[in-house]
Amino acid sequence: MNPLGCEVVDGVAVLTIDNPPVNAVTVALARALGDAAAELDTRDDVGVVIVTGGGTRAFSAGSDIAEFSGMLGPGEAVERKLRPQMIAFAALADMRTPTIAALNGICLGGGLEIAACCDLIVAEEQVLLGSPEIKLGVFPSSGGTFRVARRIGHGRAKEMQLLGEPVTAETALQWGLINRIAPRGQGMRVARDLAAVLMARPPRALGLCKSVIDATHDLDEAALTERSLDASEQAFTSAECAEGVRAFFAKQAPDFRATNAGASS
């Protein structure tokens, strides 16, 4: 069974984690997610990617413990599971295309590591988010340590990951871990509303903006200044910028998608 569904409608791709009963993260699922992210990021007809969970119980309850329990020898977990997952999750995190995680159920462990790869996170009001790995004698090992810390700071990341207790959607919103709370059953609707806004924005400028923000924790201020100026040069000389300025003076809504379609044809 394919652990990941993929559907593209009107420029929005929806990746659905489909590994019942709780959408556990396996190496096969991670690889499918990474492959899908890499492929979708090359498509001009995809403007936004939404990642969600199949069913209503869980976005993902974390790693398949039965899978990694057979990898406890020296080097086994890292090479057979964690390194492939790091590579796969990085493909999602590094997409130029904007990404949204729509959390429709519990989001724990590897599930939270996947969500943290996305630009925006929507969680339904009943969702619990957490990193319980410490209770098994391990810790978030596929990017969850640094990606969660980048979103909410070291102190709160340590509270989540050293104590291993989940937080509510309301707390996650207050901490900046998520961006929106949706009513129960309405997570995808809210995610699609956000996607519609992003689809109206200039795709190249979105990717450039993401690239500068994502470099914040990796470069010093001087390097970030140059990164921002280089990205700005690309933005200000683009057909998107010309369309934005034209539409502003014409008092019209800009049509960035048509501009990019024309540029690529």
Side-chain angles (χ1 to χ4, degrees):
M1 185 181 70
N2 188 345
L4 188 75
C6 180
E7 181 183 37
V8 179
V9 178
D10 295 331
V12 177
V14 177
L15 297 176
T16 303
I17 301 171
D18 187 17
N19 188 23
V22 293
N23 297 326
V25 179
T26 62
V27 174
L29 169 62
R31 284 180 169 147
L33 182 63
D35 290 345
E39 193 271 331
L40 291 170
D41 211 30
T42 67
R43 291 176 54 171
D44 292 334
D45 64 324
V46 174
V48 181
V49 175
I50 298 174
V51 184
T52 193
T56 60
R57 182 178 176 185
F59 172 78
S60 172
S63 281
D64 185 338
I65 296 175
E67 181 180 67
F68 82 70
S69 66
M71 305 177 183
L72 302 184
E76 291 187 11
V78 167
E79 297 307 323
R80 293 170 57 190
K81 182 174 177 66
L82 302 180
R83 194 180 303 280
Q85 288 185 178
M86 279 283 199
I87 293 170
F89 294 172
L92 177 62
D94 294 343
M95 291 185 76
R96 60 177 176 82
T97 308
T99 54
I100 303 170
L103 312 184
N104 54 319
I106 55 174
C107 180
L108 303 174
L112 183 56
E113 291 185 300
I114 292 172
C117 292
C118 296
D119 300 311
L120 303 174
I121 303 176
V122 174
E124 294 182 12
E125 59 189 357
Q126 79 280 6
V127 168
L128 295 176
L129 303 91
S131 300
E133 291 94 335
I134 200 73
K135 297 179 180 180
L136 293 173
V138 293
F139 62 91
S141 302
S142 297
T145 45
F146 52 86
R147 289 196 179 102
V148 171
R150 285 171 178 171
R151 295 182 87 102
I152 64 176
H154 290 77
R156 285 168 172 164
K158 287 178 179 177
E159 181 172 345
M160 289 189 73
Q161 297 178 4
L162 300 185
L163 300 181
E165 300 298 334
V167 299
T168 64
E170 184 62 38
T171 296
L173 181 66
Q174 293 173 359
W175 285 4
L177 181 58
I178 67 174
N179 300 90
R180 298 282 193 281
I181 294 179
R184 182 187 290 267
Q186 297 297 308
M188 277 300 293
R189 178 188 62 78
V190 173
R192 288 189 182 278
D193 287 346
L194 287 172
V197 175
L198 291 168
M199 287 294 293
R201 301 292 186 254
R204 188 179 187 195
L206 285 173
L208 291 169
C209 186
K210 278 188 57 170
S211 71
V212 178
I213 294 172
D214 290 344
T216 299
H217 296 277
D218 301 319
L219 303 176
D220 60 28
E221 189 163 339
L224 282 169
T225 297
E226 291 306 313
R227 173 73 66 90
S228 179
L229 291 173
D230 178 67
S232 296
E233 173 68 15
Q234 297 179 59
F236 275 82
T237 58
S238 69
E240 289 180 350
C241 182
E243 168 63 7
V245 172
R246 181 207 65 78
F248 176 83
F249 285 111
K251 295 182 170 53
Q252 298 174 344
D255 189 350
F256 294 118
R257 298 288 162 179
T259 299
N260 276 272
S264 61
S265 61

